[in-house]
Amino acid sequence: MRVTGQGHAAVVQIGGHDVSQDLSAYSLAHRAGDVPQMIIELSPRTMATAVFDGLAHVVIGNQPDPGPAAAAFLSAISPAELEKAALDRHDLMDGRPNELTRAMLALLREWALGQWGEPEPEDGQ
């Protein structure tokens, strides 16, 4: 995908085909540290079905390095709270080798996803 400007109009190309006339709208967003995202909306009367069909997720650029975000997240974790939470989570303890470490890693994954409480029982009780 390529977008270039010509005066007040933009030229949008997909695979070398100019699809500018086939779009009803497009938006381009870029936040610092993220890859740019472009959303295109096809016109209902488009004739470019041979160029593209359906939905696509196009990413241009490199994914940001997760290291700094992971380091900041881990720096905010209290070792005492992590250990207590892991030992209190009996659903994560199975008696196999390295169970405390595996429980801590499982908790860190949950916390990274914003899941802070006890898991809901699967049977709804």
Side-chain angles (χ1 to χ4, degrees):
M1 179 173 293
R2 180 177 172 170
V3 179
T4 56
Q6 289 184 334
H8 294 288
V11 175
V12 179
Q13 294 180 343
I14 297 177
H17 299 277
D18 183 352
V19 296
S20 305
Q21 301 302 315
D22 299 303
L23 305 181
S24 62
Y26 73 91
S27 63
L28 182 61
H30 184 217
R31 293 189 173 98
D34 287 341
V35 295
Q37 294 182 337
M38 182 175 188
I39 298 173
I40 59 174
E41 297 177 30
L42 294 177
S43 169
R45 57 189 179 282
T46 184
M47 300 303 284
T49 55
V51 176
F52 56 90
D53 183 24
L55 301 174
H57 180 173
V58 178
V59 176
I60 300 171
N62 296 322
Q63 291 288 346
D65 180 6
F73 170 75
L74 292 172
S75 295
I77 302 295
S78 162
E81 288 297 318
L82 177 59
E83 184 175 333
K84 180 182 180 324
L87 292 172
D88 287 346
R89 284 283 301 272
H90 301 290
D91 63 312
L92 298 176
M93 299 296 193
D94 58 12
R96 295 184 322 190
N98 307 309
E99 73 177 346
L100 180 60
T101 303
R102 284 186 289 103
M104 288 180 172
L105 289 171
L107 280 169
L108 290 171
R109 278 190 299 273
E110 290 175 8
W111 292 353
L113 295 171
Q115 301 166 354
W116 297 100
E118 284 280 329
E120 292 294 321
E122 291 183 17
D123 60 3
Q125 297 178 0

